[in-house]
Amino acid sequence: MDTVDPPTLVKSLDPVTVRPNAVLNVSFTDAPSEIQAGIWKDGVADFQPVSDGEVTLPSEEGTYVYVLYASWPEGDATYAFQIHVTRLNT
């Protein structure tokens, strides 16, 4: 099966603007057995386990591609989205 890298998946989407160190809340109707999140950089995501359904977003300003991986006994799913971290009002 062919797959598309996360930057290609999100290139037509506008990034969500957030403040430095904002907290992303992750939840699913059916809780997965595992959730990981990471920033896509240089062809890979630096996945970290998601604790208590929260991911602290970067403190540095810039645009980031995030990848979220969730796993259930029935299978797994990967989600991608862009954020733009800024200190300024937009």
Side-chain angles (χ1 to χ4, degrees):
M1 174 168 75
D2 291 334
T3 60
V4 178
D5 68 348
T8 301
L9 285 173
V10 301
K11 73 179 178 182
S12 65
L13 303 175
D14 292 330
V16 176
T17 301
V18 298
R19 300 277 180 233
N21 296 312
V23 174
L24 171 69
N25 293 304
V26 179
S27 65
F28 294 89
T29 302
D30 295 318
S33 56
E34 175 185 16
I35 306 173
Q36 295 185 27
I39 297 171
W40 186 268
K41 185 176 178 183
D42 299 327
V44 296
D46 64 338
F47 284 114
Q48 301 294 320
V50 173
S51 298
D52 299 321
E54 295 185 344
V55 177
T56 301
L57 300 176
S59 60
E60 295 295 318
E61 291 186 302
T63 300
Y64 301 86
V65 174
Y66 258 83
V67 181
L68 187 70
Y69 168 82
S71 178
W72 295 265
E74 301 84 8
D76 53 66
T78 303
Y79 306 88
F81 56 93
Q82 289 187 87
I83 62 166
H84 179 71
V85 177
T86 184
R87 288 178 173 75
L88 304 175
N89 291 332
T90 56

